[in-house]
Amino acid sequence: MAVKQKGERPFIAADQTLDVGAAGEPGAVKPRNISVLGRLVRNAALRPWKIRLGLVIIGFFVLVAIFAPLIAWQDPQAFSRDALLPPSAAHWMGTTQTGQDVFAQLVYGTRVTLIVGFTVGLVATVLSVVIGLIAGYFGGLIDEVLSLLMNVFLVIPALPLAIVMAGYVTVRGPIPVAIVLVVTGWAFGARVLRAQTLSMRQRDFVAAARASGESTLRIVFAEILPNEIAIVCASLIFTVLYAILAEIGLEFLGLSDVTVTSWGNILYWATNGNALLLEAWWWFVPAGLCIALLGAGLAFVNFGIDEITNPRLRDASRS
Amino acid sequence: MQYLLRRIGFYLAALWAAVTLNFLLPRLMPGDPVLLLIARLQGRLDPHAIDALRLQFGLGSQQSLFTQYVNYLDDLVHGNFGISINYYPTPVSEVIGTGLIWTLVLVGTSAIISFLLGTALGALAAWRRGSWFDTVFSPLLTFFQAIPYFWLALLLLYILGLDLKWFPLGFGYSIELEPAFNLNFILDASYHAVLPAFTIVISSVAGWMLGMRNAMLTTLAEDYVLMAQAKGLPERRVLVTYAARNAILPNITGFAISLGFVIGGALLTEIIFSYPGIGFILLSAVQAEDYPLMQAIFLLIALIVLIANFLADIFYVVLDPRVRQEG
């Protein structure tokens, strides 16, 4: 009942609600969902170099993850007698104490990091969209309860909670870790979206939709949500970044499945194998650099979206 | 006043939520961690400790969940966190007590340094927008912000500790010293704290800087800043009293929120440096499946974060008269 014939009925556009800088025709009758998203993409391509740089970095790691078997010719798990060798032509990033190829581990590790990061980001963002929009739109007691929940999850320190939760889980591995990260990662986005929805529900196009008898669910998710796409994207990126860093932290502590090839586990085995004291810098430096690079890519996209939604942050003239 | 009362109400609710979460987690988990634990430690744990564990987790008891909950709350109020399994038979509260002071000093000092430094740098970057300082530093700090704390710690330990031998390789103080409150020990402890603190500052300063920069850019476009400039006031005065004073407000709330992250990051840093704080104890508790200790440490961290948030709220009221009036 909520989802009527999708996109069939033209509804009142609200171009002024999202300041993306492009010339919109206020009051024009056109399907808004596509136009807002389209403008965002167009603007992203035109405007901040930050988004482009960020997308290039993320894209690079996605390609590495997809084509891992073609890039790394060695088995990341295979032991060999070449223990603790510094980088060479045979082992581009040297080997571990058990003779595993660090380069192969790094390449294959990209997969786990990206899959966990993006899955957690997506699930937590969907959760924050639903909770944030419902709290903001309905107000009253519903809002009070949901806001309290968000604020509580924001103040309760996430990583210690994640560590304790991971400590209880008897099954170790990426899936329990992902669940823990969703639980601790949704609140931030929900709060931002609630605030935006609160201001959005006062706008004329929402009143118009209400007057024309649209169902509440449709107003919230088909009328208001498309206008908040930029914020949803920013929140998604932020959550992915959080998930990746926290996942690697948990893996580093040995709280995931330590036999999985992932960036966090490379660092776990490196510290467990005393890479530091053995001065085997090649064992732990590359993974950290990759994490920082991927993280910076995500952060750049995030800042770029911020600049689109908040025109004052743009690199235009000051006064 | 009413504002503060509402905030107090919120923090009490948050504290209750943390306590309840802590109570429910081990009971909600599939399987029974305590049963496994008892099986694993059979023979090494004396019957009293097993009984204590059973009571603490309501294992095999005929009590209803509610009665267990009431008992649990009663224990908490009396500071009774049970007995640590890892440090058996030391009470949990004693184990934590020794670690707490180390963490508080380390995290407290480095969080404040990084907040002040980052805010000042951010204000400057916004003021000199487009200058080399802004264009070089802002993206560079983005990169630093994405570096995991613990990896930076590893790297610094490798370069400054192992290679250059400028700093000790870990722990809170020299082993030959006995912890005591004298100048010799404090100097030694401070020396050991420099590298971990430096790590926390470097990796968290970027967040403050970027937050302050963005808040400043918004404030700088306000009419009263233009007005102050038009009046011909000295630049520094406009920067500090007009723009920065107002732009810092959101950063203070941000400071409160991110304290949780700082503590989380500091846990990992402590682990790398084998620093004798609660992070290090927490990891050893998790590894030893010392559930009473784990639970108590989580509660303690939550409590610290809540208190810090509350202090930030009070500070906010002092800085922004509008909050006081709204009520």
Side-chain angles (χ1 to χ4, degrees), chain B residues 39-78:
Chain B
R40 202 167 54 87
L41 292 178
Q42 203 69 268
R44 269 195 292 154
L45 217 55
D46 82 29
H48 287 295
I50 294 178
D51 283 346
L53 260 182
R54 278 184 200 284
L55 268 179
Q56 203 169 356
F57 290 91
L59 186 82
S61 75
Q62 305 304 313
Q63 292 173 319
S64 69
L65 202 63
F66 182 74
T67 324
Q68 290 177 36
Y69 186 54
V70 171
N71 288 342
Y72 166 80
L73 290 182
D74 187 60
D75 274 353
L76 284 194
V77 171
H78 292 99

Side-chain angles (χ1 to χ4, degrees), chain A residues 204-290:
Chain A
D204 289 341
F205 75 95
V206 176
R210 220 179 284 137
S212 68
E214 297 209 28
S215 76
T216 312
L217 273 178
R218 198 183 153 81
I219 294 175
V220 173
F221 292 104
E223 301 279 337
I224 294 180
L225 181 58
N227 285 295
E228 295 178 353
I229 287 293
I231 300 170
V232 175
C233 289
S235 145
L236 171 69
I237 299 284
F238 178 86
T239 317
V240 170
L241 181 57
Y242 160 76
I244 287 179
L245 289 180
E247 172 216 350
I248 290 169
L250 290 178
E251 283 170 350
F252 168 69
L253 293 177
L255 295 177
S256 184
D257 180 355
V258 292
T259 59
V260 170
T261 303
S262 71
W263 289 355
N265 280 337
I266 294 179
L267 295 172
Y268 169 81
W269 287 113
T271 44
N272 262 26
N274 275 330
L276 215 59
L277 290 172
L278 298 167
E279 309 214 355
W281 55 269
W282 58 87
W283 196 353
F284 60 89
V285 168
L289 281 181
C290 283

Side-chain angles (χ1 to χ4, degrees), chain B residues 109-307:
Chain B
T109 322
S110 30
I112 290 169
I113 292 177
S114 118
F115 175 70
L116 294 178
L117 194 69
T119 308
L121 288 175
L124 212 64
W127 189 252
R128 303 261 164 81
R129 169 176 215 177
S131 70
W132 68 267
F133 179 75
D134 186 31
T135 36
V136 172
F137 259 82
S138 300
L140 198 70
L141 282 177
T142 307
F143 182 72
F144 268 103
Q145 201 186 11
I147 294 180
Y149 285 79
F150 63 90
W151 183 74
L152 195 68
L154 275 176
L155 209 62
L156 287 176
L157 193 59
Y158 179 74
I159 298 170
L160 299 179
L162 201 70
D163 222 39
L164 297 171
K165 298 193 175 18
W166 288 355
F167 294 100
L169 284 176
F171 210 61
Y173 51 90
S174 304
I175 316 160
E176 61 270 18
L177 287 180
E178 194 65 26
F181 199 74
N182 57 43
L183 189 68
N184 196 12
F185 182 76
I186 291 173
L187 280 179
D188 183 69
S190 311
Y191 178 51
H192 279 75
V194 171
L195 209 49
F198 186 57
T199 317
I200 299 173
V201 170
I202 294 195
S203 46
S204 59
V205 76
W208 304 127
M209 183 176 167
L210 293 166
M212 186 62 183
R213 177 180 176 271
N214 288 357
M216 272 292 272
L217 289 181
T218 315
T219 316
L220 283 175
E222 298 284 352
D223 289 338
Y224 58 80
V225 175
L226 269 178
M227 168 77 175
Q229 279 175 318
K231 278 201 293 191
L233 291 178
E235 270 210 6
R236 182 179 295 178
R237 177 122 191 255
V238 181
L239 169 68
V240 176
T241 26
Y242 285 77
R245 193 175 190 277
N246 290 295
I248 205 172
L249 290 175
N251 237 16
I252 286 179
T253 344
F255 180 70
I257 290 179
S258 63
L259 257 172
F261 291 95
V262 174
I263 290 190
L267 294 189
L268 294 164
T269 308
E270 279 183 9
I271 289 162
I272 301 272
F273 288 99
S274 321
Y275 201 75
I278 47 178
F280 190 62
I281 300 178
L282 177 62
L283 181 68
S284 61
V286 170
Q287 282 167 345
E289 304 191 16
D290 186 347
Y291 295 113
L293 189 56
M294 257 164 70
Q295 278 197 311
I297 290 180
F298 170 68
L299 265 193
L300 185 75
I301 292 172
L303 192 68
I304 294 173
V305 171
L306 289 180
I307 292 173

Side-chain angles (χ1 to χ4, degrees), chain A residues 94-110:
Chain A
T95 58
T96 71
Q97 210 172 22
T98 44
Q100 292 161 309
D101 186 64
V102 177
F103 178 69
Q105 291 201 328
L106 196 69
V107 168
Y108 278 93
T110 314

Side-chain angles (χ1 to χ4, degrees), chain A residues 3-9 218:
Chain A
V3 188
K4 295 178 201 162
Q5 301 92 326
K6 211 168 133 200
E8 209 182 62
R9 181 148 53 121
R218 198 183 153 81

